[in-house]
């Protein structure tokens, strides 16, 4: 499997667009089957603030998950 990553900006005269995207210069042969995945790089306001304010404080972020006396040496 060969992977090629590229970025493109959708063009159009209005926000509705025409649903087309043209990408030139791809390193694949004519007639070759490829998978296409489109991911928007713009986050919605909800995604940007999803974790905002969710953590109040960490008293000791490196503290073990269990007390040290409960750990057994092999």
């Amino acid at each position: 499997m060969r992977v090629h990553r590229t970025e493109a900006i959708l063009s159009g005269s209005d926000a509705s667009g025409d649903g087309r995207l043209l990408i030139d210069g791809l390193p694949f042969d004519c007639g070759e089957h490829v998978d296409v995945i489109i991911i928007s790089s713009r986050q919605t306001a909800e995604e940007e603030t999803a974790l905002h304010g969710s953590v109040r404080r960490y008293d000791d972020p490196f503290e073990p998950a269990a007390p040290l006396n409960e750990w057994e040496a092999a």
Side-chain angles (χ1 to χ4, degrees):
M1 173 171 58
R2 295 181 300 154
V3 176
H4 177 76
R5 183 182 189 286
T6 188
E7 292 184 14
I9 297 175
L10 295 175
S11 61
S13 59
D14 59 3
S16 65
D18 63 359
R20 295 177 183 214
L21 174 64
L22 178 62
I23 304 173
D24 291 321
L26 295 174
F28 301 103
D29 297 327
C30 198
E32 187 173 345
H33 289 264
V34 297
D35 290 328
V36 177
I37 299 173
I38 307 294
I39 300 172
S40 174
S41 59
R42 184 182 66 185
Q43 290 182 327
T44 64
E46 183 179 303
E47 291 171 331
E48 290 176 356
T49 60
L51 296 177
H52 181 72
S54 63
V55 176
R56 300 291 180 200
R57 71 174 196 223
Y58 276 121
D59 291 329
D60 189 358
F62 298 106
E63 179 181 22
L68 292 176
N69 60 356
E70 293 182 13
W71 288 86
E72 293 183 17

